[in-house]
Amino acid sequence: MTTEDIILHIFYLVATSMPDIPRHPQAKLYPSESVTIGILFSLKGGYFRAFYRWLQRDYGDWFGDGTLPERTRLQRLLCTHQDWCSLLLANPTFFTVIDSYPIELLFPIREGRSKQQVGKKGCDKGRWSVGIKLCWLLNEFCQVVAWDWATMNVYDKHFHPVVKPFIDRTIVLADFGFRDKDGVPENMKICKKGTWNERMCVETTLSMVTIVCDLKRIRNRLAKHIQAHLSYVSAMFNVLLGLFHSLHPDADPFKMSIAEFSL
């Protein structure tokens, strides 16, 4: 697929999945356009300045009636309307899977140089880094149902509130990192290593966003921008899964791939 085809397909799926939210009389972008731009930034990765130059140069006349908002204004719009991404989250299934994903923000030697730094030092596969954790709750079709994030130094039990709203709706499979001496949510099942291989789907999805979106390292520094970025990443993954199955209707419903949509 060409880049133009990818953008058009993403916009179509976003526009048809979101309810009819009216555009503000003074706004240049429709809600579906704003969400599409946020998804494209999440898919492309890197710095927002570089993304904005690319978008304005090659596809600026596609959005906002031919005129994109100024860069900093567009960033504020994406932060302000990040709640629209929740409209693209999926419904839980009988079994769901939860896991966390470390994201590096800074090299450890730069820790403490600014009071605005959000990330905390933690160990990721034997390597120390300063960053955050992203937690995804996925249904059996590997779609994002709910998510949250915290600093890298916290334990996975911090994400129990992600699970609690789905009591009586789903059984959540988790690893031993989610154990808690005070107990886990009643719908969470702690699985031993080598059992319940259904949990591997979350490893597959997180490896996809690592390779395609370069999510292992993000360039945001403020909490509100990190929150917005991760909101659009979660919406992006669901949209791209839907796009994959719409383009490959004969594929197994449990199969997934987003590599062909890389920008």
Side-chain angles (χ1 to χ4, degrees):
M1 295 180 66
T2 64
T3 302
E4 291 80 2
D5 291 335
I6 293 173
I7 295 176
L8 290 174
H9 279 85
I10 289 176
F11 176 74
Y12 173 78
L13 288 178
V14 170
T16 54
S17 300
M18 292 178 59
D20 187 15
I21 303 175
R23 181 177 69 165
H24 191 278
Q26 296 179 338
K28 292 183 178 180
L29 299 174
Y30 285 92
S32 55
E33 291 180 308
S34 298
V35 175
T36 299
I37 291 175
I39 288 176
L40 292 176
F41 171 57
S42 300
L43 179 58
K44 196 170 180 64
Y47 291 94
F48 193 83
R49 286 178 180 267
F51 167 77
Y52 183 83
R53 288 195 298 267
W54 167 80
L55 185 68
Q56 186 180 48
R57 181 191 66 220
D58 296 342
Y59 306 103
D61 56 346
W62 285 29
F63 300 94
D65 297 328
T67 305
L68 270 179
E70 190 268 334
R71 176 181 58 82
T72 57
R73 180 173 177 80
L74 180 59
Q75 278 187 294
R76 291 195 297 271
L77 287 173
L78 294 182
C79 286
T80 301
H81 300 300
Q82 61 182 279
D83 291 342
W84 287 337
C85 295
S86 62
L87 301 172
L88 300 174
L89 296 180
N91 294 319
T93 52
F94 186 79
F95 283 113
T96 51
V97 186
I98 192 170
D99 204 356
S100 63
Y101 174 80
I103 298 175
E104 183 179 351
L105 299 180
L106 295 171
F107 193 70
I109 199 172
R110 296 182 178 273
E111 184 184 20
R113 293 191 178 185
S114 171
K115 294 181 179 179
Q116 293 183 325
Q117 289 180 6
V118 176
K120 300 296 182 181
K121 184 180 291 186
C123 190
D124 174 24
K125 293 181 175 60
R127 176 177 178 270
W128 288 98
S129 59
V130 178
I132 61 172
K133 281 183 177 181
L134 169 65
C135 179
W136 268 0
L137 178 67
L138 306 179
N139 63 19
E140 64 181 18
F141 302 108
C142 298
Q143 299 168 316
V144 181
V145 176
W147 67 276
D148 195 8
W149 69 279
T151 53
M152 194 180 289
N153 61 325
V154 304
Y155 293 104
D156 285 346
K157 66 181 182 180
H158 173 86
F159 299 112
H160 286 177
V162 177
V163 176
K164 291 179 180 178
F166 301 98
I167 291 177
D168 297 329
R169 298 180 61 189
T170 182
I171 298 175
V172 181
L173 306 178
D175 58 29
F176 273 65
F178 288 84
R179 290 180 299 176
D180 187 358
K181 66 178 183 179
D182 298 324
V184 299
E186 59 184 83
N187 61 330
M188 177 179 283
K189 178 177 177 58
I190 303 297
C191 306
K192 293 182 179 180
K193 185 176 181 180
T195 63
W196 292 92
N197 290 331
E198 293 84 351
R199 293 185 295 118
M200 288 303 297
C201 71
V202 71
E203 302 293 343
T204 304
T205 58
L206 294 175
S207 67
M208 287 182 184
V209 293
T210 299
I211 297 172
V212 177
C213 312
D214 192 24
L215 191 61
K216 200 68 175 177
R217 178 177 175 83
I218 61 176
R219 278 74 179 178
N220 307 100
R221 295 295 178 263
L222 300 182
K224 62 179 182 180
H225 291 152
I226 294 173
Q227 176 79 18
H229 191 156
L230 299 179
S231 295
Y232 290 105
V233 167
S234 302
M236 173 213 70
F237 194 79
N238 285 354
V239 169
L240 293 186
L241 279 188
L243 178 55
F244 172 79
H245 288 293
S246 66
L247 295 177
H248 306 282
D250 297 330
D252 190 307
F254 297 98
K255 181 180 178 181
M256 53 182 175
S257 175
I258 62 173
E260 62 186 289
F261 311 120
S262 175
L263 298 178

